[in-house]
Structures are given as structure tokens and as C-alpha cells.
Amino acid sequence: MVGILGANSVSGGYEIDNSLRFNDGDTAELTRTPSSEGELKKHTISMWFKRCTSGTNHALFSAGVDGGVVYSIRFISDALYLSQSSNFVKATNRLFRDPSAWYHIVIAADSTLSTQNDRIKIYVNGVLETSFSENTFGGGQNLDFEVNDDVLHAVGYDTINNSLPFDGYIAEFHLIDGTQKAASDFGETNDNGVWIPKRYTGTYGTNGVYLEFKQTGTGTNASGMGADTSGNTHHYAPVNLAATDVTTDTPTNNFATMNPLDNFYAQATFSEGNCKFSAAGSPTTYVRSTQGVANGKWYWEVKIIDKASGTSIGVQEGESPGATDQMGYNTAGVQLRQTGQKHTNGGNATYMAAQSNNDIIMIAFDRDNTNVYFGANGQWGDGSGNTDEANPSSAIDITVSDFVFPALGDMDGSGTVVYEINFGNPSFAISSSNADANGHGNFEYAVPSGYFALCTKNLAENG
């Protein structure tokens, strides 16, 4: 279930350090209105994104104002839909459904060209799109685009009816004013045939911007999340975004999240970049992460927001769960329950102290020796009902032969269980900031020696 790996998953090559997490429930966006017009007939937009929700309508970028002409890049269900009011429509037959994958798109426009299909080009992962369910251009040659006009520009939002907030991650956003670029200006194919980013070395034009999302401030300046590092200082204003929305989950180091496609029976809801899990009602099954492991040693944390009485945190091997499968219903998984008991092979046994709201549960999984360890708030369980060990020492042995996945579930028949899971890309504030030995991840507590955050760089080196 791993998305983009790339040749530079371990070292070397061009690195993207940060992305910005957009939570659609927050109606988050970045906005800017240029003070004057740029070149209206030619532009290029390049960005990487990871979607968190499929089957819904979400916007990546727009330019224009409600009630006027609006240029929009958005998803209608799972197809990429590019339009400018009645001027043109391009809707891909390709669908974007994978919540574990980073995608790269380039929109390259030049309305002065005589051939209609050359006026707007869409590249996906370096490949020029040629298959469309809709492909019209009613605006005619020399059409003025709203991009680079002195109108509202929004990243992660659609200015049509002020709607369609994006749900996912965006990285490496380029807006080029005055030039129709190619995908090869922003990426390249590595020796394994994988499309990976490369450094853009061209110019940006009058209203062009480059958003790297390296800052965590909320101001419209060089310290803000919308800081423009193109040299133009056209900073975007963050709206409904917080410092925790700046992450290191990127196309060159793709972190695990929870997998909404694994949610058929659990009936959970997800938010905060698929790092927040909420479940209520009768289902007692579980949801797995987007990345599983067949070897190595791995660490992650889970913050309990609402424990109810059904907390279920752990690991499980195998296919997606059935309607009545619990985590640990066989020997190929284990769950930690709210009482502090472990549940494996269908039975409960004492392990550590009971959990409370705001506890941060620590999970260390040794796939090489098929051992699982649980702790809370900086101490590890002793296997006898206490949470008082400085290091993982009380192993829970499971029997597995395939990929094993971190998992979350709900054992409460009526209450609501809410967690935020941290694979190293936390959606909640971290006070102490601990990385693993490779320098990856951002955790509240020290990563045990020999264990690593669940991300593609570590999977390439230690998985």
C-alpha cells in the first residue's frame, strides 16, 4: 500500500521537506489577491498532492470570485476536473482514489496556440493526459485566464460559491506567470520507472509563486505557512490552518496514515489527513493503516481523545477485517483495550494500567521477532497491570507470516471512541519532538533504540 517511493527514498536526489495538511472540516485554504494583472494568456501550475477522501468533490486551486468567471482545479468524485466557467472544461477519465499515494499534476496553459488541445495540457506523474470524459474549449484562441489576474487566488479551496475545501496534503506548489512549462521542468523518471520531483530552475514571472510550506506561522509574511520563496514575496494568507498542519509527509518521504478504504465494516470517520479516527455504534471491528511491514522494528503513538469504554489499539495481519472480526481475534494480531488488558487469540489478559483521555499510547512492533509492546505517557507496560517500565520489556508474541498493519478499532457498542494517530506526522501538538535514529518523525516520547517511524525512507532502508 506504499505510494511514491522513488530512488531518493533513502538518500540523494532532490528532497521535498514539507507539505501542508488541509482538513476539509476546517474549510482550510491559502489565499492571495494580486495587486495587478500578470500575463493572462499563459501560465503553469505544478503541485504534488495526497488525497484523503475519495468519492467526494474537493478543490486544489481556484482563481476568480463567486458570481464572476472562475478558474478551478478540482475533483468531481474522483476525476480531475479543470474548468473556467463556460470557457472550457477538461475532465479526466483517470480517477484519483489511492489515499496512500502522492500524485503530481502540471497544468500548462497557453491560449495563443492555434491547436485547441495544445492550449491546456494536463500532466499526471509526468504523462500527458489524452483521455477525457469532457474536453471542450469554448473560449477561443487568445482567451484570458483568471490565473494571474487581480482576483482572489485560493489553494485548497474553490471560490465558486466559497466551497469544496480540499481534504489531503499539498506539497511543492508552483505558479508560473507567463510561460507554458512541461512536466519535465518539475520532475523526472528514476531508474525504477518512478516519477519523482526535481528542482525547478526557471523563472516565475510577475505574479508567480513558490510555496514550500516550511514555516508554521499564521501571518501573511515570510514566516507564514503561505510564504512565497520564488523571490517575488507574494505571500499567501493562511485561513483556518494551524502550525500542526505543516508536516514532513511528502512525495520523497511518504508517511503512513489510516486507510479509509479499509473501513467497510468499522464505519469510522477520518479527518486531519487521515490521522484522526472516530467511531461510534455497534461495529467492533477495526481499520488498518496505509503501510504494512514484513520485517524491521517500528514505533508509533496514539493520543486518546475520547476513550469511551471501547479503546482498541494494536496490530493485525491479513486481509481487510470482516463484519465481526476484532483485532486480536486470532494469534496474528493483538489489541490494547481501555482497561489495559491485551486481547489476542480471542482472549483477554492483564498487561498495563487502564487508559484515560489525553493519554498518549506508545506502540513498538518488532516484526523480526513478532513481538508487540505497549506503553503510555513515556513508560512501558510491565505485563502485570502496571505502566512503569523505562524500556519495552514485556513482549506480546503474535504469529504472523505476511504483512502486519497498525490498526485502530472500537470495542464500545454505544459510546464514541476518538484517537489521533502519529506515525511521525502528528496532527496534534508535540511538546518534546523526538525523531528516530534516522532523523525521521516527530514524536512526543523517545523512540526505542532500533525502532523507526513508519515512512517510505525507513521502509526502503530498514523494512
Side-chain angles (χ1 to χ4, degrees):
M1 294 187 180
V2 175
I4 299 297
L5 264 174
N8 54 350
S9 292
V10 177
S11 61
Y14 177 62
E15 299 290 335
I16 297 176
D17 294 327
N18 294 95
S19 69
L20 191 60
R21 178 167 41 217
F22 292 79
N23 184 48
D24 61 344
D26 296 334
T27 60
E29 61 179 322
L30 295 170
T31 64
R32 174 179 180 263
T33 300
S35 58
S36 62
E37 293 181 0
E39 168 56 67
L40 302 184
K41 294 177 173 59
K42 302 176 185 179
H43 68 267
T44 302
I45 296 170
S46 168
M47 73 179 88
W48 290 80
F49 64 86
K50 181 163 75 168
R51 293 190 78 194
C52 288
T53 308
S54 61
T56 53
N57 301 341
H58 288 139
L60 289 168
F61 174 83
S62 62
V65 293
D66 184 21
V69 177
V70 176
Y71 175 107
S72 177
I73 307 170
R74 61 195 187 276
F75 295 101
I76 302 298
S77 294
D78 296 318
L80 187 67
Y81 197 94
L82 175 66
S83 68
Q84 181 169 290
S85 299
S86 61
N87 297 143
F88 65 83
V89 175
K90 294 177 86 77
T92 65
N93 282 313
R94 180 196 297 264
L95 302 179
F96 298 78
R97 291 172 168 166
D98 188 350
S100 71
W102 278 93
Y103 298 93
H104 180 228
I105 62 166
V106 173
I107 310 297
D110 182 350
S111 68
T112 68
L113 298 176
S114 58
T115 302
Q116 176 180 313
N117 281 336
D118 290 341
R119 294 174 193 160
I120 301 176
K121 298 179 180 180
I122 300 176
Y123 299 87
V124 179
N125 294 340
V127 178
L128 179 66
E129 287 293 292
T130 58
S131 178
F132 298 96
S133 61
E134 294 185 64
N135 188 13
T136 63
F137 198 94
Q141 191 174 11
N142 294 311
L143 170 72
D144 282 348
F145 298 106
E146 289 299 286
V147 178
N148 297 316
D149 200 355
D150 53 353
V151 295
L152 179 65
H153 290 48
V155 177
Y157 207 72
D158 200 321
T159 56
I160 301 175
N161 300 318
N162 296 320
S163 62
L164 308 183
F166 183 57
D167 194 43
Y169 302 78
I170 294 177
E172 195 82 349
F173 181 91
H174 297 271
L175 171 57
I176 314 300
D177 181 351
T179 311
Q180 184 187 49
K181 297 286 185 177
S184 57
D185 287 292
F186 307 96
E188 58 191 349
T189 302
N190 69 9
D191 293 340
N192 297 317
V194 176
W195 184 254
I196 60 173
K198 76 175 188 182
R199 185 180 299 279
Y200 172 70
T201 58
T203 58
Y204 285 88
T206 301
N207 283 325
V209 297
Y210 176 30
L211 307 181
E212 297 184 83
F213 312 122
K214 290 186 175 183
Q215 306 296 329
T216 59
T218 56
T220 310
N221 51 47
S223 298
M225 285 170 267
D228 169 29
T229 55
S230 70
N232 285 336
T233 64
H234 294 325
H235 307 308
Y236 274 55
V239 179
N240 298 328
L241 289 157
T244 51
D245 294 317
V246 176
T247 86
T248 56
D249 187 343
T250 75
T252 54
N253 194 17
N254 188 2
F255 277 79
T257 65
M258 296 309 294
N259 186 357
L261 302 182
D262 202 43
N263 188 35
F264 186 76
Y265 290 110
Q267 299 177 21
T269 58
F270 300 92
S271 57
E272 300 296 343
N274 289 339
C275 292
K276 189 171 184 177
F277 170 107
S278 177
S282 58
T284 57
T285 186
Y286 57 90
V287 179
R288 300 174 302 163
S289 64
T290 54
Q291 296 176 10
V293 295
N295 47 51
K297 297 180 180 181
W298 308 97
Y299 175 80
W300 63 97
E301 297 174 345
V302 177
K303 184 174 183 178
I304 299 175
I305 307 302
D306 189 343
K307 66 180 177 62
S309 61
T311 303
S312 176
I313 299 168
V315 301
Q316 185 68 46
E317 182 192 51
E319 301 297 326
S320 296
T324 59
D325 290 339
Q326 298 181 22
M327 208 186 313
Y329 68 96
N330 55 21
T331 59
V334 61
Q335 66 172 292
L336 178 69
R337 292 189 164 180
Q338 187 273 329
T339 57
Q341 292 178 310
K342 62 183 179 181
H343 178 86
T344 187
N345 199 24
N348 296 328
T350 298
Y351 186 76
M352 57 183 269
Q355 304 154 29
S356 300
N357 287 348
N358 297 315
D359 282 354
I360 295 179
I361 306 302
M362 305 133 63
I363 303 96
F365 176 43
D366 179 351
R367 177 62 180 83
D368 295 332
N369 297 295
T370 63
N371 290 329
V372 184
Y373 304 85
F374 294 107
N377 306 326
Q379 297 290 307
W380 293 91
D382 67 358
S384 300
N386 304 301
T387 309
D388 56 5
E389 302 298 302
N391 298 293
S393 57
S394 184
I396 303 169
D397 185 56
I398 59 176
T399 304
V400 294
S401 59
D402 203 347
F403 283 85
V404 181
F405 296 82
L408 295 174
D410 177 11
M411 295 303 301
D412 193 328
S414 58
T416 298
V417 173
V418 183
Y419 317 92
E420 290 189 71
I421 192 164
N422 178 17
F423 292 107
N425 53 336
S427 57
F428 55 90
I430 297 294
S431 62
S432 53
S433 192
N434 293 279
D436 64 26
N438 288 337
H440 304 313
N442 182 18
F443 298 102
E444 184 65 44
Y445 298 106
V447 179
S449 178
Y451 287 77
F452 297 94
L454 193 51
C455 58
T456 52
K457 281 187 178 292
N458 283 334
L459 285 167
E461 185 172 352
N462 303 293

